[in-house]
Amino acid sequence: MGRVTVSNIDKAAAVLRAGGLVALPTETVYGLGANAEDPTAVSRIFQVKGRPPTHPLIVHIAGAEHLDGWVKEVPAAARLLAEHFWPGPLTLVLRRGARVPLEATGGLQTVAVRVPDHPIALALLKVFGGGITAPSANRFGSVSPTAADDVRAELGDAVDFVLDGGPCEVGVESTIVDVTGDTPAILRPGGVTCENLEAVLGHPLTVPAASHVRVPGQHPSHYAPRARVVLVEPEEVIAEAERASGAGQQVGVFLPAGSPDASVKAHAVVAVPASVAAYARGLYGFLRELDQKGCDLIVASLPAEEGLGLAIANRLRRAAGPRSTV
């Protein structure tokens, strides 16, 4: 399918109303969307992704003015964050309202909500007239899709309709902030930086090493390519890659920005952009590229954990996390 037209958006809305699944572009990644008020359609998302039913989904709405019914209450901190960062890559965890089925929340009495900053997603939400649950449009735990072709390659005919909005601008998922307690807390770093959130709220935020609240992206192995990912210090990337190559592995390398020697002996090399925004935008595409080139090992290092670097580091750690052998 080519780029989106009004008729395509109307068709996508009709598919959602009929209980179908629509892949839609957002500024972060492509989402696998269903009517958020249809428990059967929501359950189909879990089936298609192979996602555990206890892992809650994010409900996407067209604007903060549409929060009524989706949430029980909107604390002052939530209103402040929504005013500054919606539409945008920020998800707020609030008390569940009557419109949200428990299938969408993993059985929790909280719901994750955001307003995407993408003209096609917003147009679809407006035409559809309701909320859309939309986790990333990929198999559970694998690399998130940042282009329509990624969705087609991974999910194929399991998706009823794909809206092609081109490449995603941010490239990593939204930041998730819990605003149900006395003090907001970041549950997952993402497209809105901790520094920007703190500037608006006027106080520091905690970023827990592991969230005790069930939210998307918290599985030990997540955002993972088929290749095994190994993380080392930046100055050790080349030596580790060449050691593994010498041992007969098909090695892919994330060569850190500013590395003095780009002639590393490896199966495939990705030069990490100096711009952290460009790195975030390209991260999942880089991982997919090395998979497609047949790498069985990817050697990478973590960026400085500030700004968007915090989200990139989080995704790389999850990609390198322990994988189930079942």
Side-chain angles (χ1 to χ4, degrees):
M1 185 196 334
R3 290 303 176 86
V4 172
T5 64
V6 171
S7 63
N8 281 339
I9 289 174
D10 288 339
K11 183 175 180 180
V15 169
L16 291 172
R17 294 188 192 105
L21 301 184
V22 172
L24 65 148
T26 77
E27 78 281 25
T28 57
V29 300
Y30 273 72
L32 182 61
N35 179 355
E37 295 180 85
D38 182 343
T40 301
V42 170
S43 295
R44 191 176 160 210
I45 286 179
F46 290 93
Q47 295 164 7
V48 168
K49 284 179 61 71
R51 183 186 180 102
T54 55
H55 285 235
L57 306 177
I58 295 173
V59 176
H60 295 66
I61 59 176
E65 67 274 17
H66 298 289
L67 277 169
D68 288 348
W70 297 108
V71 303
K72 275 190 175 180
E73 59 183 356
V74 185
R79 291 191 185 279
L80 182 62
L81 292 174
E83 177 184 341
H84 279 83
F85 299 110
W86 280 0
L90 175 68
T91 294
L92 299 177
V93 175
L94 297 153
R95 299 294 177 191
R96 181 179 73 93
R99 295 181 72 175
V100 186
L102 286 171
E103 286 83 355
T105 69
L108 299 176
Q109 292 302 321
T110 55
V111 61
V113 185
R114 90 174 184 100
V115 180
D117 188 14
H118 194 290
I120 292 169
L122 290 172
L124 176 60
L125 284 161
K126 182 177 180 181
V127 171
F128 176 59
I132 299 174
T133 49
S136 56
N138 57 290
R139 303 292 179 190
F140 179 71
S142 67
V143 179
S144 300
T146 53
D149 285 345
D150 298 339
V151 179
R152 297 187 185 103
E154 187 154 351
L155 298 182
D157 293 339
V159 183
D160 299 306
F161 198 72
V162 178
L163 285 171
D164 186 346
C168 298
E169 183 63 26
V170 175
V172 292
E173 292 80 0
S174 60
T175 304
I176 300 178
V177 177
D178 183 359
V179 285
T180 61
D182 294 334
T183 304
I186 294 176
L187 303 182
R188 179 183 73 183
V192 174
T193 69
C194 179
E195 293 86 347
N196 285 343
L197 292 168
E198 290 175 340
V200 167
L201 292 170
H203 59 76
L205 288 174
T206 59
V207 184
S211 171
H212 298 293
V213 180
R214 293 205 310 271
V215 293
Q218 296 303 301
H219 197 263
S221 175
H222 217 89
Y223 318 110
R226 289 189 300 274
R228 186 168 61 93
V229 178
V230 171
L231 300 175
V232 298
E233 293 300 319
E235 63 273 14
E236 298 172 358
V237 166
I238 293 175
E240 176 61 23
E242 294 187 341
R243 184 202 63 76
S245 293
Q249 293 186 276
Q250 297 286 85
V251 180
V253 182
F254 274 23
L255 193 66
S259 294
D261 182 4
S263 62
V264 54
K265 296 174 183 177
H267 181 68
V269 177
V270 168
V272 171
S275 161
V276 69
Y279 190 5
R281 188 161 51 246
L283 175 63
Y284 293 144
F286 299 153
L287 292 172
R288 287 179 179 274
E289 175 189 339
L290 295 183
D291 263 349
Q292 290 162 4
K293 289 182 175 179
C295 296
D296 52 37
L297 177 71
I298 296 172
V299 179
S301 61
L302 299 179
E305 296 187 50
E306 57 189 25
L308 276 175
L310 183 64
I312 296 169
N314 171 270
R315 304 313 188 266
L316 286 172
R317 283 198 180 96
R318 298 282 179 183
R323 304 187 188 188
S324 172
T325 56
V326 177

